[in-house]
Amino acid sequence: QRRVHGDVTVQLTVKMSKNHFSNRIRLKQILVTKPDDRTDDQITELFHLTSDIKFFEHFHADEEKHRQLCRVMKLKTYLSRDCVFYQHDPGTEFYIILQGRVAVNIKHVNELGLTVEVTACHLNTGDSFGELALIYGAPRSATVVAVEPTELMTIHKSDYDRIVKGVQKRVIDDTIEYFQQLPPLVKLDYEKLMSLATITIPKRFRSGSVIVKPGEEPDNVYFIKSGKCRVLKRMAFRLCDTEDTDFDFDWFTADPTFEDFELNRVRFQWLEIDTIGPYQWFGDWHILHRSVYDYAVVVQLPMEVLVVDKYDFLSRLERVTLSKFRELSLHYPPDKELRRVFFESERWHIYKRDLLSEIVDKKHLRGLSGMQDIVRNEDIMLSPRTMGLRETYKNEVKQIRRTTRRVADNLNHRSPSGVLLNAEQEADEEKKSSLSPAVIASSAQAIKRELTQGRATLKPIQ
């Protein structure tokens, strides 16, 4: 699009930049107006102009609090190297960076007993700071200095306590409690956990929502509090006859060659390679390795997620903690290994399907005696393909025989205590249901439930 419609792209970019610039000017015009003099229309306008600022994402579910903040916020400007506040000062205001950049500096005593000041991190447009002193009534824990001309939206302590404090303290405490249970963060001290929690944004996703797509750059780390999502990957397969049980895994699991594409011997299939749930996270591996996503993450059950921006993730955490994330981060084996698992799973499913079909067919033909033959391993009459695969899955066959024994016991009308019913009841029950479709379906479902336990598979997605 850039090559063919370059002029259009440039014009649209310039237009968007002009709109953004004019919006910023209008936002500052309203902020310099005294809070008591602002009209309802100005409050509504300010509400919309600030809705895309990161801090206000906390209030998407509570528009009234957002509007209250729009009525009391003020604007302050700082030149490069101006100090916003000093370490150990009392907390009087909360700050949101409208434009610019600040450094967070902390004084401490080094190994030689000297007091030195180090830069803990930098905060950029959209970030907020100063809440800890207001929430916990403590002095400022750091010195904040503008590193370039900076504009800050400020909220006075009395307004912060009235509108924000209760909500933000509860969110921060819940976030810290969650982070303390994650292996990479379990040994992180409380102050650093608090620093991370203050820039974490809670989000909710509905079922079916796509959180990330293949080819996207990673912008955030996602920590799952509740819900469930599926990891889907689009895989390329060499075309093959799946009915053939004696095929070369190395050839079929290898990446398709140029010749395969030329001869149209490739098919594409979405596979579910994983499911992710509470106290798991994703996105950190791609951020740490500077790579794009090669899979999609789709919400299966409604999710509540804690989102940390990649720049905050890299700047707020020390190297030791980032190394732990690197060790424990979620990543998947190469495509060749995923294909191998998929083919093995498919072959196992074929075996289960054929064996189950023959079990049900035999029961149709010979009633309960057919099930007894299977239990005693007599006169099974399996097809050659099923017999061939049976040798491959000896352990699973043992499980199947245990399952069919239980199914046969049920069809023999044993009571829950294991005692056979008397002959009259047995004959009566035999007439009612021994060969009925309901009993056959019930026994088939029982076998299916047993056969699907204990073997990990990759699921093809339509």
Side-chain angles (χ1 to χ4, degrees):
Q1 185 180 7
R2 288 180 180 274
R3 288 195 298 269
V4 178
H5 305 290
D7 294 340
V8 177
T9 303
V10 171
Q11 289 174 9
L12 289 174
T13 303
V14 170
K15 186 176 181 180
M16 290 174 65
S17 299
K18 287 181 178 179
N19 288 339
H20 177 78
F21 183 70
S22 60
N23 287 343
R24 289 292 178 178
I25 292 176
R26 180 58 184 155
L27 190 153
K28 287 187 282 186
Q29 288 174 344
I30 299 174
L31 287 174
V32 297
T33 305
K34 291 182 180 180
D36 292 340
D37 294 338
R38 293 175 192 168
T39 65
D40 290 340
D41 289 341
Q42 287 178 320
I43 298 300
T44 300
E45 190 176 0
L46 192 58
F47 170 84
H48 292 296
L49 290 172
T50 57
S51 60
D52 62 341
I53 295 175
K54 185 163 65 173
F55 170 76
F56 292 101
E57 292 183 15
H58 292 284
F59 300 96
H60 281 176
D62 194 342
E63 292 187 359
E64 182 56 35
K65 287 189 180 297
H66 187 171
R67 290 180 179 275
Q68 290 178 27
L69 291 174
C70 290
R71 183 171 292 281
V72 300
M73 286 189 304
K74 298 178 182 179
L75 181 68
K76 286 188 177 182
T77 59
Y78 295 84
L79 299 177
S80 179
R81 304 180 72 177
D82 282 354
C83 183
V84 181
F85 56 73
Y86 290 97
Q87 191 171 345
H88 305 304
D89 281 354
T92 58
E93 288 181 309
F94 174 69
Y95 304 88
I96 305 163
I97 303 176
L98 178 61
Q99 186 173 339
R101 192 165 184 249
V102 300
V104 180
N105 301 325
I106 299 176
K107 288 182 179 180
H108 70 97
V109 179
N110 66 11
E111 298 174 352
L112 300 176
L114 301 175
T115 300
V116 295
E117 187 173 70
V118 296
T119 300
C121 64
H122 288 89
L123 303 178
N124 302 290
T125 300
D127 289 330
S128 57
F129 60 94
E131 67 273 23
L132 299 183
L134 303 183
I135 291 175
Y136 299 101
R140 299 293 190 187
S141 59
T143 298
V144 176
V145 179
V147 296
E148 61 183 54
T150 300
E151 297 172 337
L152 302 177
M153 293 184 288
T154 66
I155 302 171
H156 192 269
K157 183 179 185 302
S158 58
D159 296 318
Y160 182 90
D161 290 346
R162 177 172 55 87
I163 303 171
V164 182
K165 181 177 178 178
V167 175
Q168 200 163 21
K169 183 179 186 303
R170 191 160 54 247
V171 171
I172 290 173
D173 289 344
D174 289 346
T175 303
I176 291 174
E177 184 179 352
Y178 171 85
F179 282 151
Q180 286 174 328
Q181 300 180 60
L182 299 182
L185 302 175
V186 69
K187 293 185 179 180
L188 206 63
D189 63 62
Y190 192 81
E191 286 187 4
K192 291 175 182 175
L193 281 173
M194 189 178 295
S195 173
L196 185 64
T198 57
I199 49 84
T200 300
I201 298 174
K203 286 189 176 182
R204 295 178 183 272
F205 293 95
R206 296 179 180 178
S207 297
S209 301
V210 179
I211 301 178
V212 299
K213 299 177 182 179
E216 285 185 346
E217 292 279 350
D219 292 325
N220 304 293
V221 181
Y222 300 87
F223 298 91
I224 302 173
K225 286 191 72 176
S226 63
K228 191 177 181 181
C229 58
R230 301 188 299 170
V231 180
L232 309 179
K233 189 168 186 179
R234 190 169 185 256
M235 303 284 296
F237 290 90
R238 286 173 157 179
L239 290 176
C240 63
D241 181 7
T242 55
E243 298 296 320
D244 183 7
T245 61
D246 298 320
F247 54 83
D248 182 359
F249 264 52
D250 290 336
W251 190 89
F252 281 98
T253 58
D255 291 328
T257 64
F258 179 77
E259 183 183 1
D260 293 327
F261 285 100
E262 284 288 309
L263 298 176
N264 208 21
R265 291 193 312 210
V266 178
R267 67 180 176 90
F268 290 93
Q269 174 73 58
W270 283 94
L271 298 183
E272 179 181 312
I273 61 176
D274 197 8
T275 57
I276 315 174
Y279 298 98
Q280 292 180 286
W281 62 93
F282 63 93
D284 54 323
W285 191 88
H286 295 280
I287 289 173
L288 293 171
H289 291 80
R290 299 180 181 180
S291 63
V292 299
Y293 288 105
D294 58 351
Y295 53 78
V297 178
V298 181
V299 179
Q300 185 173 12
L301 299 176
M303 291 174 59
E304 184 180 355
V305 178
L306 299 178
V307 181
V308 177
D309 180 83
K310 72 175 178 181
Y311 298 109
D312 292 326
F313 177 75
L314 294 173
S315 63
R316 300 280 178 124
L317 297 178
E318 297 176 344
R319 288 185 179 181
V320 176
T321 306
L322 291 176
S323 297
K324 291 180 182 177
F325 271 101
R326 194 183 297 271
E327 293 172 8
L328 301 172
S329 59
L330 180 68
H331 62 283
Y332 299 102
D335 287 0
K336 181 175 181 179
E337 179 64 17
L338 292 175
R339 290 190 197 95
R340 188 196 66 76
V341 175
F342 173 75
F343 280 127
E344 185 66 31
S345 302
E346 285 293 286
R347 194 162 69 161
W348 167 239
H349 283 304
I350 290 170
Y351 176 63
K352 289 192 298 183
R353 182 195 64 203
D354 291 355
L355 183 59
L356 180 61
S357 176
E358 292 172 32
I359 288 172
V360 174
D361 288 345
K362 191 168 184 63
K363 184 179 180 305
H364 266 299
L365 293 174
R366 300 179 55 181
L368 296 178
S369 61
M371 297 296 289
Q372 292 288 358
D373 288 344
I374 293 168
V375 174
R376 292 194 300 268
N377 201 25
E378 297 175 0
D379 192 25
I380 296 183
M381 296 173 59
L382 299 177
S383 67
R385 184 178 65 183
T386 307
M387 289 295 290
L389 284 173
R390 181 179 181 177
E391 198 61 29
T392 305
Y393 300 112
K394 289 182 180 179
N395 293 332
E396 284 80 356
V397 168
K398 292 179 182 178
Q399 183 181 358
I400 291 167
R401 292 185 63 192
R402 288 195 298 270
T403 303
T404 52
R405 183 177 290 110
R406 286 195 290 274
V407 174
D409 286 345
N410 290 334
L411 294 175
N412 260 335
H413 310 297
R414 289 185 184 273
S415 66
S417 62
V419 180
L420 282 169
L421 303 176
N422 62 47
E424 183 177 350
Q425 288 175 316
E426 187 175 355
D428 184 58
E429 293 296 326
E430 179 86 7
K431 290 178 184 178
K432 290 181 181 178
S433 62
S434 65
L435 293 177
S436 68
V439 171
I440 294 172
S442 176
S443 63
Q445 287 299 320
I447 295 171
K448 284 183 179 179
R449 282 196 300 271
E450 294 291 334
L451 295 183
T452 53
Q453 302 298 317
R455 180 173 277 263
T457 61
L458 298 179
K459 302 177 184 177
I461 306 299
Q462 299 299 326

